[in-house]
Amino acid sequence: MSEQLTLSAEARDRAGKGASRALRREGRVPAVIYGNNEEPLSIHVEEKLLNKLLGTGHFFNSVVMVEVGGKAVRTLPKDVAFHPVTDRPLHADFLRVSEHATVHVNVPVRFENEDASPGLKRGGVLNIVRHDVELIVDAAEIPDDVLVDLTGFDVGESIHISAVKLPKGAKPAIEDRDFTIATIAAPSALKSQESEAAAEAEGE
C-alpha cells in the first residue's frame, strides 16, 4: 500500500500573479486545497520538499497530509503545473478526502514472472499498452502498483484487465470494456521465419 506522505504548508494571504511570483522567488510554490464541500484553501509549500515528494515516484497515488496552521488536512494530489523550460513546479492542486473516501487514482503497472512466459522465452517482445491503470479505490487502501503475471502468455496474445488480479477492494475506472494492458509481440526473426514457412507452404 502507498505510504502516507506529509507536507507542511502555510496559508496564503494574497492571491494573484504578483503574489505567486514573489512566493516562487522565495523558494515557495503556491497551491490550493479544494473539495469535500469545503471552501478552497490557498496555501504555499516549500519547493524543495515538494520536489522530494514528487521524486518518490508515487506522489500522485499517495495520500498527502498537508499541515496548515497546526491542522493536518488529508488530501490526494491532483495536479502540479511545471515551468516549460526550467521544469520547476509552479502550482499544485490537492483534493480533500475523508479517510475512507472512494477515489480515482492512476496506479503504475508492474510485470512479473517474465521467465514463465513461453512467448518471451521464444524471444517475443513485451509491448506495454498501459503503463498505469486508473482504479477506483478506498483512499486508505491505495495500492503502490498493479501486478501483472506473465505466466503462460505466448507470442500474439494480449493481456486484458480481466486477467489481472487487482488489489482488494479496487476496480478499474473503465468498466465498459475489457481493455488491453500489454501484448506479447513476435520478434522480427520469428516473424521472418513464419513468413518464409508460409511462403514455402504456398509454393508446395
Side-chain angles (χ1 to χ4, degrees):
M1 208 175 76
S2 287
E3 61 182 287
Q4 193 168 280
L5 304 174
T6 306
L7 185 62
S8 57
E10 289 176 32
R12 222 173 353 136
D13 301 326
R14 293 184 303 134
K17 285 185 177 175
S20 294
R21 274 199 294 270
L23 282 170
R24 289 187 196 107
R25 279 198 296 274
E26 293 166 16
R28 309 288 296 181
V29 179
V32 68
I33 300 173
Y34 65 96
N36 222 14
N37 298 321
E38 291 180 48
E39 283 291 309
L41 176 63
S42 294
I43 57 168
H44 55 93
V45 299
E46 191 184 341
E47 185 181 344
K48 272 188 202 162
L49 195 52
L50 179 61
N51 275 329
K52 189 179 170 189
L53 296 190
L54 284 162
T56 62
H58 52 83
F59 178 68
F60 286 103
N61 61 321
S62 296
V63 167
V64 178
M65 299 300 286
V66 181
E67 295 173 349
V68 193
K71 188 179 162 208
V73 184
R74 181 185 301 275
T75 73
L76 202 59
K78 276 295 165 190
D79 190 41
V80 177
F82 294 94
H83 190 283
V85 178
T86 61
D87 244 6
R88 286 178 65 184
L90 296 176
H91 190 274
D93 289 345
F94 296 90
L95 174 69
R96 278 189 199 93
V97 290
S98 50
E99 189 174 359
H100 289 287
T102 301
V103 294
H104 286 241
V105 283
N106 286 328
V107 178
V109 174
R110 196 155 60 82
F111 296 89
E112 61 177 2
N113 297 329
E114 294 187 21
D115 54 350
S117 157
L120 295 179
K121 280 171 104 166
R122 287 167 61 201
V125 180
L126 180 64
N127 173 35
I128 301 170
V129 178
R130 287 177 182 264
H131 288 274
D132 53 44
V133 175
E134 189 182 358
L135 296 180
I136 301 170
V137 293
D138 184 313
E141 301 286 341
I142 299 170
D144 284 328
D145 47 34
V146 171
L147 273 181
V148 178
D149 188 349
L150 296 171
T151 303
F153 284 99
D154 211 339
V155 168
E157 291 192 314
S158 297
I159 302 150
H160 296 100
I161 190 67
S162 58
V164 178
K165 191 177 179 222
L166 290 174
K168 182 174 168 267
K171 62 179 184 178
I174 300 170
E175 293 186 278
D176 60 346
R177 64 184 191 277
D178 192 12
F179 58 89
T180 304
I181 304 284
T183 60
I184 310 279
S188 46
L190 196 61
K191 278 182 191 160
S192 59
Q193 278 171 18
E194 283 170 358
S195 54
E196 275 170 30
E200 278 172 25
E202 277 175 24
E204 282 172 7

